[in-house]
């Protein structure tokens, strides 16, 4: 069976195309339920220290240093001192959404992940601490997991309701609710990002032979919904899009002059302005996009007649300093994760790490339980390894290891 959208070869009982995210089989035009905003989370209390002479100058200097550090971590690195990688969604969301369908996220010393038991969590590298947060009903596909301010956010597809739902739940499993719903008629599974305290829902639609890219944002309690972008395009891959900071990176099959002949990657602001092309394949397609630090990573292939060559390209956000960081190969090469300044790649037989700016490859030597595929979700000092995806269902193995593939511990294994 082949995907009617991008032509990818599909396995049995697949609900979503593993390459483009398009739903497989007929979809219903039943409208989705109305938005159901929940209650806003309470704002943290700020404690002001008392002034005590004669240490006023020292105290003020310390406050300034802490403030500068907090600003750098929160606004430039995408986190906060207590919750690091998970806060603000900057480190995790780009990786999760582009690859692995957001089956896991790490924040505040905890790893959160989907498996056959539902949404679970564990203390980092502590398999004995695994516990369930909430169950996932049969027939529901979930992903795009993200974290902010003590809440987990994810998208789900309920085959019985024919809707994509953006859901939230506290990290302790309480206060679960639906924040936003999108009908499945002509729409593809939405990406979910959290940037500067707001949820961004990025999705594509196909109607009347025209593709379009849409961005909707809202507060983390589901209120203040804003329509950020509606853009006509001819993108061939449902999840070839990444959001980082105030910019969106996406692939489009149509050239500036309206002709086709290979996919390109464009960068633009969230409001659709300042659009520029930063990458073009040679007669081939873009297979994935992610952002690692200040580098944009593109998995693509070029085509010459019936021959294909696969590779991963790395470039600055404006497209400069572009380079291929893998050897051109006859085998498909995909990005399966990222962590700090490292990107993780798979050629179908093995996973290996490469610096985002290019350099030597490190074979990760994953356990045999991941021989049929793995996604690596980056955290500060480790990666979560999962073989779950929207197209293949919930994970039957989940674990944690260091970025070089060592010190593997297993959180979940299907019995």
């Amino acid at each position: 069976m082949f995907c009617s959208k991008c032509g990818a070869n599909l396995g049995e009982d697949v609900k979503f195309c593993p390459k483009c995210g398009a739903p497989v089989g007929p979809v219903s035009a039943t409208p989705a339920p109305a938005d159901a905003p929940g209650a806003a989370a309470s704002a943290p209390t700020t404690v002001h220290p008392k002034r005590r002479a004669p240490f006023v100058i020292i105290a003020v200097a310390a406050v300034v240093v802490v403030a500068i550090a907090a600003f750098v971590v929160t606004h430039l690195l995408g986190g906060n001192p207590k919750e690091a990688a998970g806060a603000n969604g900057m480190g995790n969301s780009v990786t999760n959404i582009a690859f692995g369908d957001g089956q896991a996220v790490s924040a505040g010393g905890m790893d959160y992940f989907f498996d056959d038991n539902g949404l679970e969590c564990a203390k980092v590298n502590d398999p004995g601490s695994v516990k369930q947060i909430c169950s996932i009903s049969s027939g529901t596909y979930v992903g795009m997991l993200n974290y902010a301010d003590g809440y987990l956010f994810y998208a789900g597809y309920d085959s019985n309701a024919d809707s994509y739902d953006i859901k939230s739940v506290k990290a302790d499993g309480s206060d679960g609710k639906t924040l936003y719903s999108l009908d499945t008629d002509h729409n593809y599974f939405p990406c979910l990002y959290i940037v500067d305290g707001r949820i961004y829902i990025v999705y594509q639609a196909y109607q009347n032979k025209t593709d379009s890219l849409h961005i909707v944002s809202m507060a983390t309690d589901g209120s203040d919904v804003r329509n950020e972008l509606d853009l006509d395009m001819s993108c061939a891959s449902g999840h070839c899009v990444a959001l980082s900071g105030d910019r969106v990176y996406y692939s489009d099959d149509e050239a500036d002059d309206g002709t086709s002949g290979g996919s390109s990657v464009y960068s633009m602001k969230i409001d659709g302005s300042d659009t520029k092309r930063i990458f073009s394949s040679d007669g081939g397609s873009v297979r994935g996009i992610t952002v690692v630090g200040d580098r944009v990573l593109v998995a693509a292939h070029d085509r010459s007649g019936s021959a294909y060559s696969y590779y991963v390209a790395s470039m600055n956000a404006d497209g400069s300093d572009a380079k291929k960081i893998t050897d051109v190969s006859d085998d498909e090469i995909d990005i399966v994760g990222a962590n700090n300044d490292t990107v993780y790649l798979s050629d179908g037989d093995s996973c290996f790490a490469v610096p985002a700016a290019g350099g030597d490859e490190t074979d990760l030597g994953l356990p045999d339980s991941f021989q049929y595929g793995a996604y690596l979700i980056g955290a500060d000092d480790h990666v979560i390894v999962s073989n779950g995806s929207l197209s293949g269902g919930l994970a039957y193995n989940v674990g944690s290891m260091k970025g070089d593939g060592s010190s593997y511990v297993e959180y979940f294994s299907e019995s």
Side-chain angles (χ1 to χ4, degrees):
M1 182 169 59
F2 296 90
C3 176
S4 60
K5 175 66 176 170
C6 69
N9 192 5
L10 304 175
E12 297 296 329
D13 300 323
V14 170
K15 299 294 184 181
F16 295 89
C17 174
K19 293 300 181 187
C20 73
V24 176
V27 294
S28 167
T30 305
D35 301 350
S42 58
T45 302
T46 302
V47 179
H48 298 280
K50 295 180 180 179
R51 297 173 180 264
R52 295 184 181 275
F55 303 105
V56 174
I57 296 176
I58 297 177
V60 170
V63 170
V64 170
V65 170
V66 171
I68 293 174
F71 176 85
V72 170
V73 174
T74 302
H75 295 277
L76 300 185
L77 301 184
N80 66 47
K82 293 183 179 180
E83 295 170 343
N88 225 18
M90 293 300 292
N92 289 282
S93 65
V94 173
T95 301
N96 285 352
I97 302 323
F99 312 100
D101 299 320
Q103 295 291 308
V105 70
S106 185
M110 301 291 291
D111 287 340
Y112 303 90
F113 50 89
F114 290 113
D115 60 35
D116 277 357
N117 292 326
L119 177 54
E120 300 202 291
C121 68
K123 293 181 180 178
V124 173
N125 300 327
D126 183 2
S129 66
V130 175
K131 63 180 181 181
Q132 187 183 70
I133 296 174
C134 64
S135 61
I136 303 298
S137 61
S138 177
T140 298
Y141 285 72
V142 288
M144 313 303 163
L145 184 63
N146 237 305
Y147 176 96
D149 300 326
Y151 278 81
L152 292 158
F153 301 86
Y154 62 94
Y157 167 69
D158 186 342
S159 58
N160 297 316
D162 290 319
S163 65
Y164 303 122
D165 297 324
I166 305 299
K167 297 178 178 290
S168 70
V169 62
K170 277 189 176 180
D172 63 5
S174 65
D175 197 24
K177 52 183 174 281
T178 298
L179 303 179
Y180 189 82
S181 292
L182 178 70
D183 68 71
T184 60
D185 186 23
H186 306 297
N187 297 317
Y188 299 126
F189 202 96
C191 303
L192 186 157
Y193 299 84
I194 300 176
V195 180
D196 293 334
R198 287 185 66 81
I199 298 172
Y200 286 81
I201 302 168
V202 182
Y203 68 97
Q204 288 174 263
Y206 181 77
Q207 193 168 15
N208 299 324
K209 298 183 179 180
T210 301
D211 281 291
S212 54
L213 178 67
H214 306 272
I215 301 179
V216 174
S217 74
M218 66 192 68
T220 53
D221 63 356
S223 64
D224 189 25
V225 178
R226 305 174 189 171
N227 188 57
E228 302 281 358
L229 175 72
D230 295 295
L231 175 70
D232 288 338
M233 58 190 300
S234 56
C235 179
S237 300
H239 287 161
C240 281
V241 58
L243 189 154
S244 181
D246 66 345
R247 299 198 71 84
V248 180
Y249 302 89
Y250 67 96
S251 67
D252 198 330
D253 289 344
E254 187 172 279
D256 295 336
D257 59 2
T259 61
S260 60
S263 294
S264 297
V265 174
Y266 293 84
S267 167
M268 67 180 175
K269 290 186 177 179
I270 291 176
D271 62 6
S273 64
D274 191 28
T275 301
K276 59 187 71 174
R277 182 166 56 183
I278 64 172
F279 169 85
S280 291
S281 67
D282 185 6
S285 295
V286 171
R287 302 163 56 84
I289 307 169
T290 194
V291 181
V292 182
D294 58 358
R295 305 288 292 184
V296 179
L297 281 298
V298 177
H301 70 263
D302 294 337
R303 179 177 181 178
S304 177
S306 60
Y308 293 85
S309 56
Y310 298 87
Y311 57 91
V312 175
S314 172
M315 66 206 72
N316 291 326
D318 61 1
S320 63
D321 190 32
K323 64 185 74 173
K324 294 178 180 179
I325 62 172
T326 59
D327 293 331
V328 175
S329 171
D330 293 334
D331 297 322
E332 297 182 3
I333 297 178
D334 290 311
I335 305 173
V336 294
N339 182 24
N340 298 322
D341 60 354
T342 302
V343 61
Y344 301 100
L345 310 176
S346 173
D347 59 7
D349 296 321
S350 61
C351 289
F352 46 96
V354 184
D360 295 335
E361 298 178 359
T362 300
D363 192 322
L364 298 180
L366 297 181
D368 290 341
S369 55
F370 296 97
Q371 61 179 315
Y372 298 114
Y375 296 99
L376 290 84
I377 293 88
D380 276 350
D381 56 357
H382 68 289
V383 292
I384 308 169
V385 190
S386 168
N387 48 25
S389 67
L390 289 172
S391 58
L394 298 173
Y396 48 89
N397 287 96
V398 182
S400 170
M401 66 182 186
K402 291 184 179 179
D404 60 2
S406 64
S407 304
Y408 174 78
V409 298
E410 193 163 71
Y411 292 144
F412 174 81
S413 178
E414 187 180 54
S415 57

